[in-house]
Amino acid sequence: MSLLAEMNEKAHALGIPLSVHIDVTYRCNERCVHCYLDHDDKGEMTTQEIKNVLDQLAEAGVFFLVFSGGEVFMRRDFLELVEYARKLLFNVKVKTNGVMIHEAEAKRLRELGVEQLQLSVYSHRPEVHDAITKLPGSLKRTVNSIKFLKSQGLKVTLSNVLMTVNRQDERGTRALAKQLGVDYTLDPTVTPKMDGDISILRLRVDEENLDELFQDDELVGNVEEYCKPPAPVDEDVMEGYSCSAGHTACYISPYGDVFPCVQFPLPTGNIRRQKFTDIWYDSPQMNEVRSIKVKDLTVCSSCTHAGSCTRCPGLAYMEGSMRGPSTSDCMKSYHRTGIPSANMLRKAAMTSSGPLVQILPMLV
């Protein structure tokens, strides 16, 4: 067992919030077409309020801290917040578009010992990337930031979200990451906006693109192993939990709202009015989230993919029930293995037309 896995296992057993993602602002200098945030400032926490939050997180046992936004450098006090977090010995990662990072900022991030910076790049072609961010020149500036951060000895990851508008550029973007000498991550998940608006889901890639992704050794490792049929579901699986949200991790908004995860917009409390530990341990909503085992899931408990699915309870919640299936994860499981999920079969049985019924002949 790796050290990280051991830490997670012990944190889970002890109920410790090992990792917290905190958005310090929703303001941003880009307007990405797939972004799920409202970029207006509706009263974000002050410098002192965030420092107080960091004190509470340290007291609660948090070790991994992710600073994100919006664009974190829209806050003039951001490096002051990073410095304070490092004094509290957090392992700090930063998500940014890099557009506002210059020599002084990069030098300070290195001096403070930031673990990793994750910069978003959606295409190797400026006309595509800049159209997604709606900021002319953003690809050039972000790539220049990556080069400079690397030259300063900082660990950088290039992060991409696969969408209809950049699906043809994935290999080129991956090649750009190799050229820059940085790690590369790809996520085909487009999530609804935090206010429930699902209009941006039109940007999700189609099934053909998922098939292509899951057959790519560079992305998934051993394709034969990754795409093999799911293992039989046993009692350990049924007694398990779907993800770390609310168990060892949570999310805090710029306004002090605490959620199980950044993709799980279930309000559990507000740190401006309550202590973090009171929310973490005593919130009825948080306790409900962590009480749900696989066997309690309304559809997924009967699914052959129950032990291997990447089911996101937050996306399921936004579809109507945190105990229900996440359609996008069902599709991923199907296109990874070729085996329909229980949710897909249920929907196929409820309709006499549409693409889902095409899977029925496979079961005969």
Side-chain angles (χ1 to χ4, degrees), residues 225-242:
E225 177 69 20
Y226 184 75
C227 296
K228 69 181 181 180
V233 178
D234 58 23
E235 186 177 347
D236 287 343
V237 170
M238 298 304 287
E239 290 294 328
Y241 304 90
S242 55

Side-chain angles (χ1 to χ4, degrees), residues 207-257:
E207 300 175 20
E208 182 180 333
N209 293 120
L210 291 178
D211 287 333
E212 184 179 345
L213 288 180
F214 295 146
Q215 294 299 317
D216 192 323
D217 285 316
E218 286 194 24
L219 291 175
V220 303
N222 186 321
V223 170
E224 185 175 346
E225 177 69 20
Y226 184 75
C227 296
K228 69 181 181 180
V233 178
D234 58 23
E235 186 177 347
D236 287 343
V237 170
M238 298 304 287
E239 290 294 328
Y241 304 90
S242 55
C243 81
S244 61
H247 293 278
T248 58
C250 70
Y251 163 68
I252 301 175
S253 81
Y255 313 122
D257 297 308

Side-chain angles (χ1 to χ4, degrees), residues 32-283:
C32 297
V33 295
H34 62 289
C35 187
Y36 51 84
L37 299 175
D38 177 353
H39 295 298
D40 292 333
D41 180 0
K42 297 179 179 177
E44 61 195 32
M45 289 186 285
T46 64
T47 306
Q48 190 53 51
E49 282 181 309
I50 294 180
K51 287 182 176 180
N52 181 52
V53 170
L54 297 177
D55 286 333
Q56 293 187 51
L57 297 182
E59 183 182 355
V62 174
F63 179 66
F64 297 105
L65 189 69
V66 177
F67 280 126
S68 185
E71 170 49 48
V72 292
F73 281 96
M74 294 292 285
R75 287 192 66 121
R76 294 184 178 183
D77 62 353
F78 179 62
L79 289 175
E80 181 181 346
L81 296 174
V82 174
E83 180 179 359
Y84 195 79
R86 290 294 295 134
K87 284 181 179 178
L88 292 171
L89 302 181
F90 289 113
N91 175 290
V92 174
K93 296 182 180 180
V94 176
K95 293 186 177 184
T96 172
N97 58 40
V99 172
M100 300 176 69
I101 298 178
H102 304 291
E103 186 170 353
E105 288 82 10
K107 179 182 177 182
R108 191 67 184 125
L109 289 168
R110 185 193 65 220
E111 291 171 347
L112 291 171
V114 169
E115 172 69 17
Q116 183 186 68
L117 290 114
Q118 180 176 305
L119 283 77
S120 296
V121 175
Y122 306 112
S123 172
H124 60 296
R125 294 187 294 157
E127 62 270 26
V128 176
H129 176 92
D130 295 359
I132 290 172
T133 65
K134 298 183 182 179
L135 180 65
S138 57
L139 176 62
K140 181 179 179 180
R141 294 164 71 182
T142 295
V143 169
N144 285 342
S145 290
I146 291 174
K147 291 177 179 177
F148 186 70
L149 291 166
K150 277 256 323 175
S151 74
Q152 295 297 299
L154 287 156
K155 183 180 178 182
V156 179
T157 294
L158 188 157
S159 174
N160 187 13
V161 177
L162 193 68
M163 299 172 275
T164 57
V165 290
N166 68 346
R167 61 190 175 190
Q168 303 301 327
D169 290 8
E170 191 280 321
R171 289 184 181 275
T173 310
R174 198 190 325 170
L176 174 62
K178 282 187 177 181
Q179 178 186 334
L180 294 169
V182 299
D183 292 336
Y184 175 77
T185 66
L186 178 69
D187 189 353
T189 306
V190 175
T191 63
K193 292 187 177 182
M194 292 192 76
D195 62 5
D197 181 357
I198 63 172
S199 62
I200 58 176
L201 298 188
R202 70 184 186 279
L203 294 170
R204 283 180 175 173
V205 292
D206 57 29
E207 300 175 20
E208 182 180 333
N209 293 120
L210 291 178
D211 287 333
E212 184 179 345
L213 288 180
F214 295 146
Q215 294 299 317
D216 192 323
D217 285 316
E218 286 194 24
L219 291 175
V220 303
N222 186 321
V223 170
E224 185 175 346
E225 177 69 20
Y226 184 75
C227 296
K228 69 181 181 180
V233 178
D234 58 23
E235 186 177 347
D236 287 343
V237 170
M238 298 304 287
E239 290 294 328
Y241 304 90
S242 55
C243 81
S244 61
H247 293 278
T248 58
C250 70
Y251 163 68
I252 301 175
S253 81
Y255 313 122
D257 297 308
V258 180
F259 302 92
C261 173
V262 68
Q263 291 186 171
F264 199 160
L266 172 70
T268 65
N270 187 286
I271 208 162
R272 281 173 154 167
R273 299 186 293 272
Q274 304 157 268
K275 285 188 63 177
F276 174 77
T277 50
D278 289 342
I279 298 171
W280 179 256
Y281 291 110
D282 301 329
S283 162

